[in-house]
Amino acid sequence: MFKTLLLIVNPKAGKRRSRSFFFDIFQVFSQAGYLIRLRLTAGPGDATRIAREEGGQFDLVVCYGGDGTLNQVTNGLLQLDSPPPVGYIAGGSTNDFAASLQLPSDPAEAAQAIVESPGRYLDVGLFNGHHFMYVASFGAFTKASYSAPQDLKNDLGHLAYIIEGIKDLSSLRSYRARVEADGEVFDGKFLFGAVTNTLSLGGLVKLKSEDVVLDDGKFEMILFPEPKSLVDLNDMARALLLQDYSGNGLIMRHASHVTVSTEESLQWSLDGEREDAGRQVEIQALHHRLFARM
């Protein structure tokens, strides 16, 4: 008996010029007994709409694209009463979350991993009612995640984010915020803040594997306080270099609920997609919210 699979593809994602690998993907899924329906996205939000409107009709939904495409598909599926399992073939320019999941970089191998996977539950973030898979961030370099031109990201990958971040240095500033993480309060000025469930943020911030568990009901909160001296700046640089956030340079906590209150409305990035927020943000880690086959 055949099973059904919805393959949602972002045709603009990634650095691969040739699309011949799609034949290999189709072969893997077909040999595993799936009848496949291919849907190409045409613009922002399209993957969410397709997943919401059509995902419930299939045994499995697989997306091909970057982490932002996965974000959109997830948001669409989680609007369903009984969402099907989701698979992810990473075809973006950085694929931070795919790296945390240790997904194969070869599309055909990723497809094979999906059909062989017994499945696992993953935590999902909730940001003022919107879901995200691996990061909600504000401040320094956040704009680079959604403002870097797609062609540049396709060509240069991580380097595109660094270039875009350097362009943003002229407007680098701190933001006054009150951050509460599972009852612990941090009040001050911060260059950057993030609530994450990943090992890497654009290659700029990296966490150790022992510090990140993708299904423990907690996300990692990271804050960069405004440096008040060269010593503070040196401590921050050292913490980033050594991936050690236990010292004075940075703040990291494991938390299931984070509230961020600011004096002004901030632009956030959710999985690399721009999200305009008000002056108060509620972020929650939803334990085992999504069933994934990856």
Side-chain angles (χ1 to χ4, degrees):
M1 183 177 180
F2 283 102
K3 299 164 287 186
T4 56
L5 185 152
L6 175 62
L7 179 60
I8 301 175
V9 173
N10 177 358
K12 295 184 178 180
K15 296 181 285 186
R16 299 175 185 269
R17 300 306 182 190
S18 171
R19 299 297 182 185
S20 61
F21 62 86
F22 275 112
F23 291 104
D24 298 326
I25 291 175
F26 271 76
Q27 183 178 24
V28 169
F29 288 140
S30 296
Q31 289 180 345
Y34 284 99
L35 292 175
I36 307 162
R37 182 175 187 187
L38 174 65
R39 297 287 272 113
L40 302 180
T41 62
D46 213 21
T48 298
R49 179 188 59 79
I50 294 170
R52 180 184 65 247
E53 294 179 356
E54 303 178 25
Q57 306 167 32
F58 293 83
D59 297 310
L60 174 65
V61 174
V62 176
C63 72
Y64 171 87
D67 292 330
T69 305
L70 177 63
N71 172 287
Q72 291 187 41
V73 170
T74 299
N75 270 281
L77 292 179
L78 291 182
Q79 295 178 46
L80 303 176
D81 292 333
S82 299
V86 62
Y88 181 29
I89 300 175
S93 48
T94 56
N95 306 315
D96 283 323
F97 192 53
S100 296
L101 291 166
Q102 298 183 319
L103 302 185
S105 58
D106 178 77
E109 292 179 8
Q112 190 65 45
I114 290 171
V115 301
E116 294 178 354
S117 170
R120 60 179 293 193
Y121 282 98
L122 297 175
D123 297 342
V124 174
L126 188 66
F127 176 100
N128 282 2
H130 293 172
H131 295 96
F132 67 95
M133 288 302 300
Y134 76 97
V135 63
S137 64
F138 72 88
F141 297 109
T142 292
K143 183 179 178 182
S145 65
Y146 56 76
S147 64
Q150 185 63 52
D151 290 345
L152 189 64
K153 289 192 288 185
N154 290 348
D155 289 336
L156 301 180
H158 282 290
L159 184 58
Y161 293 94
I162 296 173
I163 292 172
E164 198 69 17
I166 291 173
K167 288 165 56 179
D168 200 39
L169 283 177
S170 60
S171 60
L172 187 64
R173 50 165 295 195
S174 59
Y175 300 87
R176 176 162 291 282
R178 183 182 187 276
V179 182
E180 183 175 346
D182 285 354
E184 188 176 5
V185 175
F186 305 91
D187 200 336
K189 289 186 174 181
F190 304 99
L191 293 176
F192 173 82
V195 178
T196 83
N197 198 31
T198 185
L199 296 174
S200 175
L201 301 177
L204 303 174
V205 179
K206 295 186 177 182
L207 301 178
K208 295 178 180 178
S209 58
E210 57 264 31
D211 290 331
V212 180
V213 180
L214 301 180
D215 58 356
D216 63 348
K218 292 182 179 291
F219 280 9
E220 285 60 58
M221 183 202 71
I222 302 172
L223 296 172
F224 291 12
E226 179 184 63
K228 294 181 172 55
S229 67
L230 288 177
V231 173
D232 289 344
L233 191 61
N234 181 69
D235 286 344
M236 185 179 297
R238 179 179 174 81
L240 285 170
L241 182 64
L242 299 179
Q243 302 174 36
D244 180 5
Y245 308 112
S246 60
N248 298 323
L250 304 176
I251 298 168
M252 187 178 83
R253 296 291 188 274
H254 306 281
S256 59
H257 190 273
V258 176
T259 302
V260 180
S261 304
T262 56
E263 295 179 342
E264 58 188 291
S265 297
L266 299 184
Q267 291 180 351
W268 287 68
S269 173
L270 298 188
D271 296 344
E273 303 290 320
R274 173 175 168 168
E275 182 74 20
D276 292 318
R279 291 182 294 177
Q280 178 150 323
V281 168
E282 298 281 344
I283 303 173
Q284 184 178 356
L286 303 179
H287 188 43
H288 284 187
R289 184 65 179 87
L290 184 71
F291 190 70
R293 292 181 56 186
M294 303 176 182

